[in-house]
Amino acid sequence: MEAVLNRRFSLGDFLLLLVALTWGGSYLAIKELTKVSDPAALLTLRFIPAAAFLWLFWLKDRTRFSRNELWIGAAFGVSQVIILNLEAWSVKFTSATNGGLIVSLAILMTPVFEGWFTRRWQPPRFFIAALLSVVGVALLILGNGFVTPNLGDLLMLGAAVLRATHFGAAGVLTQGKPYSPLNLTVLQVSTAALIMTISAPGPALAAAAVYQPEHWLLIVFISLFCTSLAFIAMTWAIKHTSATRTSLLLGTEPIFATLIATILGGEAIGPLGIFGAVVIISATYWGQAIELKHRSGMQPEPALAQ
């Protein structure tokens, strides 16, 4: 299996791209759901079934939770709740253009935080690739126009900082450790579900009363694919690669969001947006090649958990 991890494009990379794909599709789903419910209700109804599914999945093997897994999973759950709430509430005050551009700054921030945590920095060329990725995101989404910064922009900036910190901390705390990705994900999502259930039971019940079958299908999508399966894949990938590489690959999320919005949502993408998508793909590929060469030269790849 180590040979798989040494390839330029590994299983972990593929899983991260699938996560980026599902998260890209979540924008359109959340946009539809927020027409009939507020973000707090949406997040509550997102996390409760996601946690229930993960516990059913966990019952198959019943891997015992270690003490470190308990506190790390709970901490990740708290940070994930804060990040998703900031992102969800920010769109009430800002445009999708500003929000998408600002949160993509996590691509640049992650190697900074990871370097600060580990005291090992990426070569300068990586930061050029990361900067090109952000430029590509700007080209991709600026076709819809740029509006004056406001409270929503500040909330999204906070989400980007916390997202980068979350990735960096996850990489430092899990790489080379005998932690179960499933255990960490179960604890993370369960913590998030508990927090949201306690904080917003009324809005969640009100939303559940007005949801139609199509709304519940969207809830299943964001709960199962965008939360449960995506978090398992992301936790596994971070454990077997690096936080920087994870952030870079997840930086393709705006491409999938735009394609899905264009194909299913009827939104238009012009020549500038297409050029931006090409820039993101090229910069991401270049950046992951730099990161892989740098990481493989510093330490051996971690072995897969059995």
Side-chain angles (χ1 to χ4, degrees):
M1 293 299 291
E2 290 182 355
V4 175
L5 290 172
N6 286 327
R7 294 175 185 170
R8 185 173 295 274
F9 190 83
S10 68
L11 174 61
D13 297 335
F14 177 71
L15 290 175
L16 289 171
L17 286 177
L18 284 182
V19 172
L21 172 61
T22 58
W23 283 359
S26 71
Y27 286 100
L28 188 59
I30 292 174
K31 181 178 180 180
E32 292 300 315
L33 288 169
T34 51
K35 292 178 181 179
V36 293
S37 61
D38 66 32
L42 169 60
L43 289 175
T44 303
L45 295 175
R46 172 181 183 171
F47 280 120
I48 291 176
F53 170 80
L54 286 169
W55 278 108
L56 289 175
F57 198 74
W58 178 85
L59 287 174
K60 290 177 56 180
D61 297 323
R62 301 188 183 186
T63 304
R64 185 174 181 178
F65 295 99
S66 69
R67 180 177 300 178
N68 284 340
E69 286 175 342
L70 288 173
W71 76 262
I72 291 174
F76 286 174
V78 172
S79 67
Q80 199 66 49
V81 163
I82 297 173
I83 292 168
L84 291 178
N85 267 283
L86 286 174
E87 292 180 358
W89 283 102
S90 71
V91 298
K92 280 188 167 291
F93 303 102
T94 190
S95 67
T97 297
N98 280 27
L101 178 59
I102 293 169
V103 80
S104 70
L105 294 176
I107 302 170
L108 279 177
M109 296 176 186
T110 297
V112 174
F113 282 110
E114 186 176 31
W116 182 73
F117 283 133
T118 64
R119 296 294 187 264
R120 296 192 299 269
W121 297 94
Q122 295 292 324
R125 289 183 303 151
F126 173 85
F127 292 92
I128 297 175
L131 180 60
L132 285 175
S133 295
V134 175
V135 171
V137 171
L139 294 173
L140 182 66
I141 65 181
L142 283 180
N144 295 325
F146 198 86
V147 302
T148 304
N150 54 34
L151 175 61
D153 299 327
L154 294 178
L155 293 175
M156 192 63 78
L157 179 60
V161 172
L162 289 176
R163 182 187 280 200
T165 307
H166 181 96
F167 285 149
V172 171
L173 293 173
T174 64
Q175 286 174 21
K177 306 294 194 303
Y179 301 148
S180 163
L182 177 59
N183 282 3
L184 290 176
T185 306
V186 167
L187 293 167
Q188 176 180 338
V189 176
S190 297
T191 300
L194 179 62
I195 293 173
M196 292 308 305
T197 301
I198 293 174
S199 62
L205 290 174
V210 299
Y211 275 179
Q212 300 299 312
E214 61 269 22
H215 299 130
W216 287 111
L217 286 176
L218 293 177
I219 286 291
V220 169
F221 170 69
I222 64 173
S223 295
L224 178 59
F225 293 99
C226 301
T227 306
S228 300
L229 297 179
F231 285 6
I232 290 175
M234 186 174 66
T235 303
W236 184 91
I238 291 176
K239 185 176 184 294
H240 294 92
T241 175
S242 73
T244 294
R245 190 178 180 90
T246 298
S247 178
L248 197 63
L249 288 167
L250 291 180
T252 59
E253 179 184 335
I255 297 178
F256 295 119
T258 301
L259 290 174
I260 292 171
T262 301
I263 297 172
L264 299 180
E267 297 183 5
I269 177 173
L272 187 64
I274 295 174
F275 179 67
V278 173
V279 171
I280 295 172
I281 294 172
S282 302
T284 299
Y285 180 81
W286 183 36
Q288 80 162 11
I290 295 171
E291 192 275 338
L292 175 61
K293 183 178 180 180
H294 178 70
R295 177 160 50 94
S296 61
M298 294 185 63
Q299 59 183 11
E301 296 280 0
L304 284 172
Q306 298 299 318

